[in-house]
Amino acid sequence: FFRALAAWLGAATLFCPPLAPGYMRAPASTADAVRDACRATLEDYASVAEGYARGNLNHDVSQNIDALLRPLAGLQAPLDILDVCSASGRDLVAFTQLGHRAVGLD
């Protein structure tokens, strides 16, 4: 998957997400390095998942949704929306409830 994504993006090497806020990794260039980085990232996410979910469960995102859609007001709905880093899918739900076709990639 990572090689296909890197090829699609035109990247020469594979980059991994940071393990924690503010911590940057060097590019991962082997399958083992990608697996290790992904494992560490998932462990880091798991350690904060419950608090993140509680904090975002009823968070009002209407001003963010409005700010994104306002410049697109002249386009015919439904819009096809790709939400990159969609996390819990909260914004996907909001876009879908507004009648748009939203897809998340995390």
Side-chain angles (χ1 to χ4, degrees), residues 16-30:
C16 297
L19 296 179
Y23 180 79
M24 298 301 295
R25 288 188 65 101
S29 58
T30 67

Side-chain angles (χ1 to χ4, degrees), residues 39-92:
R39 185 178 311 111
T41 299
L42 290 173
E43 289 171 2
D44 184 59
Y45 287 168
S47 72
V48 299
E50 189 175 317
Y52 177 87
R54 268 194 318 271
N56 283 284
L57 182 62
N58 295 309
H59 183 74
D60 180 14
V61 296
S62 59
Q63 80 177 45
N64 299 359
I65 300 297
D66 291 342
L68 178 91
L69 294 177
R70 194 174 309 115
L72 306 174
L75 299 176
Q76 186 173 349
L79 299 175
D80 292 319
I81 298 172
L82 174 61
D83 182 2
V84 179
C85 300
S86 57
S88 65
R90 176 197 63 207
D91 296 351
L92 293 170

